[in-house]
Amino acid sequence: MAKQGLFSRLIIGDENLPDFNPSQLPKTRWGLWWDTFKNRLGALCKVNLLLLLFLIPVIAVLLFSYFQETAYGMAIPANANFGIGYYPRDDINSLYASMKLNVTLTQYILLVPCFMIFGVGLAGATYVVRRISWGEGVHVGANFGHGIKENWKYFVGASALLFGMMFCFFGLDMFSSSQVLITIIQVVGVIQFVFVLIMFMYFCTQCVTYNLRFTDLVKNSFLFAMALFPQNLFF
């Protein structure tokens, strides 16, 4: 029998592999995760690269805000030693705070549509990953587009709603001068951020699996996040 060539193995596969046996299918969720990661890593990488394209606007806004705030800090050195290289200004701290507030508000306003764009990509990515985990045939590009077509409205709405819920507390610390109150707001904001992120995880998986109304998806996500909170924190 002739030896199997390289191109034959690439196209057809290794002829010495044993026949498929249903007993080889994963029997646990951890087994399914490892089987998916081991056998479909290429498809998962393609999905993540496509999703990264939809994340570019978010990254661009964050970088723009960072560079703008850095430029203001250089132009208005609120913590500098005035009289040695800097002109004296009585209102320098308030001026810097005002400009920083404008940068932060602009960032939050711009991030809302950017996260909605990211939600469009997430609709396609979640649908493809669901097909992969169910062992269905996957054509990444076509299925990514189908997932967007079927679920983009829900994902866009959820992205805008959950983004507002996640960051509403973080914006409040700009309007307070009390350090204690700012700390409390930030702690509550972090807790809310984690909880809403867990809700969003359940929302995404349900949206591409079941035909439910938007309100039912949010309600179910809230119940799952509350009922399985310790397990959710681990993941």
Side-chain angles (χ1 to χ4, degrees), residues 153-203:
K153 294 181 180 179
Y154 283 170
F155 275 81
V156 166
S159 299
L161 175 64
L162 298 182
F163 172 80
M165 292 175 61
M166 285 191 294
F167 287 95
C168 64
F169 275 95
F170 291 115
L172 293 177
D173 60 4
M174 298 184 296
F175 302 97
S176 176
S177 58
S178 172
Q179 188 60 42
V180 176
L181 183 58
I182 290 176
T183 303
I184 294 174
I185 290 174
Q186 290 176 342
V187 171
V188 174
V190 170
I191 295 173
Q192 186 194 42
F193 179 88
V194 173
F195 184 77
V196 172
L197 202 60
I198 293 171
M199 281 185 58
F200 193 57
M201 174 184 67
Y202 282 110
F203 180 93

Side-chain angles (χ1 to χ4, degrees), residues 8-203:
S8 176
R9 288 199 301 271
L10 291 175
I11 297 172
I12 302 175
D14 189 355
E15 62 183 9
N16 296 319
L17 288 176
D19 294 334
F20 173 76
N21 191 327
S23 64
Q24 298 172 346
L25 292 172
K27 298 178 176 59
T28 64
R29 292 178 180 177
W30 285 109
L32 176 61
W33 176 86
W34 174 245
D35 182 75
T36 302
F37 181 80
K38 180 175 62 174
N39 297 316
R40 308 304 295 272
L41 182 60
L44 292 174
C45 290
K46 293 178 183 177
V47 172
N48 279 277
L49 289 175
L50 285 173
L51 185 60
L52 184 61
L53 295 177
F54 290 84
L55 193 60
I56 290 177
V58 176
I59 298 173
V61 169
L62 294 177
L63 288 176
F64 175 77
S65 300
Y66 171 76
F67 290 134
Q68 192 174 28
E69 187 173 334
T70 303
Y72 282 147
M74 296 173 63
I76 309 175
N79 297 321
N81 185 8
F82 291 99
I84 306 178
Y86 296 102
Y87 58 91
R89 284 287 299 267
D90 295 333
D91 61 340
I92 192 70
N93 288 321
S94 61
L95 181 62
Y96 177 75
S98 176
M99 289 190 171
K100 185 176 180 180
L101 175 62
N102 289 334
V103 172
T104 305
L105 289 177
T106 303
Q107 174 183 324
Y108 283 179
I109 292 172
L110 291 177
L111 279 177
V112 173
C114 290
F115 269 97
M116 293 170 70
I117 294 173
F118 176 68
V120 173
L122 195 60
T126 308
Y127 177 74
V128 175
V129 172
R130 192 219 74 182
R131 291 183 63 90
I132 292 175
S133 63
W134 284 13
E136 299 176 349
V138 172
H139 187 283
V140 175
N143 293 136
F144 196 93
H146 180 77
I148 291 176
K149 181 180 177 180
E150 293 292 324
N151 305 296
W152 73 270
K153 294 181 180 179
Y154 283 170
F155 275 81
V156 166
S159 299
L161 175 64
L162 298 182
F163 172 80
M165 292 175 61
M166 285 191 294
F167 287 95
C168 64
F169 275 95
F170 291 115
L172 293 177
D173 60 4
M174 298 184 296
F175 302 97
S176 176
S177 58
S178 172
Q179 188 60 42
V180 176
L181 183 58
I182 290 176
T183 303
I184 294 174
I185 290 174
Q186 290 176 342
V187 171
V188 174
V190 170
I191 295 173
Q192 186 194 42
F193 179 88
V194 173
F195 184 77
V196 172
L197 202 60
I198 293 171
M199 281 185 58
F200 193 57
M201 174 184 67
Y202 282 110
F203 180 93

